């Protein structure tokens, strides 16, 4: 369902970071990343209207800002699902090829209680009004205009070494309407 796309870019970026690696704590990262672009689509802006953009905060520092106008409550047990696929290109010009990191198709509440809570909620709690919760998100997700203001992300919890190149995460949602969010990030050596 489109209402989930307010959280889709979150999951998309999270999946992009997952594509970059797995947990490795206490060691120096040999890479850094820069968000290049965020694109959104929706088949019905009367259910959700979303606008996200990359914003330059300072030299070499980029963030995501925007809004999700959720025009209906999101409830448990409906047919709304999300999934994410990850692709990599060595230079961002050549064809992006799928890599084996993805978020399997699941209900949005499962994604919130897993990926969002474990990897993104702490980073987003001070720059957005997206839900913050302890154990599990309490339904419903209320209709509202959700905003993000210069949300930045860290490399914490990811692999020490990552192949350089461009990573594209495509987050799909299905249900009452179809929507998508595409995030592209450039990974470079951290010199």
């Amino acid at each position: 369902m489109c209402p989930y796309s307010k959280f889709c870019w979150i999951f998309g970026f999270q999946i992009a970071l997952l594509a970059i690696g797995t947990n490795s704590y206490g060691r120096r990262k040999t890479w850094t990343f820069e968000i290049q672009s965020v694109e959104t689509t929706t088949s019905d802006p009367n259910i959700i209207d979303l606008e996200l953009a990359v914003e330059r905060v300072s030299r070499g520092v980029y963030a995501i800002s925007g809004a999700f106008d959720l025009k209906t409550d999101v409830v448990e047990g409906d047919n709304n699902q999300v999934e994410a696929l990850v692709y990599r290109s060595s230079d961002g010009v050549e064809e992006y090829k799928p890599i084996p990191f993805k978020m399997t198709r699941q209900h949005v509440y499962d994604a919130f209680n897993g990926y969002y809570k474990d990897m993104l909620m702490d980073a987003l709690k001070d720059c957005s009004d997206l839900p913050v919760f302890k154990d599990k998100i309490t339904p419903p997700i209320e209709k509202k205009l959700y905003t993000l203001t210069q949300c930045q992300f860290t490399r914490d919890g990811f692999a020490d070494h990552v192949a350089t190149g461009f990573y594209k995460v495509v987050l799909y949602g299905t249900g009452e309407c179809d929507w998508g969010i595409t995030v592209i990030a450039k990974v470079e050596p951290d010199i």
Side-chain angles (χ1 to χ4, degrees), residues 50-104:
L50 59 146
E51 289 187 32
L52 298 173
V54 177
E55 180 179 350
R56 183 175 182 218
V57 177
S58 62
R59 184 176 183 189
V61 178
Y62 295 85
I64 294 179
S65 294
F68 300 94
D69 191 0
L70 181 60
K71 299 176 182 179
T72 182
D73 288 344
V74 177
V75 298
E76 278 187 298
D78 58 23
N79 65 343
N80 298 295
Q81 298 185 346
V82 296
E83 75 175 306
L85 303 173
V86 182
Y87 304 85
R88 182 183 172 277
S89 170
S90 60
D91 61 7
V93 176
E94 293 181 23
E95 178 181 351
Y96 280 86
K97 297 183 180 185
I99 60 175
F101 298 99
K102 64 182 178 179
M103 180 177 72
T104 57

Side-chain angles (χ1 to χ4, degrees), residues 7-29:
F7 304 104
C8 298
W9 77 268
I10 297 169
F11 296 127
F13 189 72
Q14 167 190 348
I15 296 302
L17 293 177
L18 282 174
I20 295 169
T22 58
N23 289 339
S24 60
Y25 299 97
R27 296 184 293 231
R28 184 185 176 279
K29 305 291 188 247

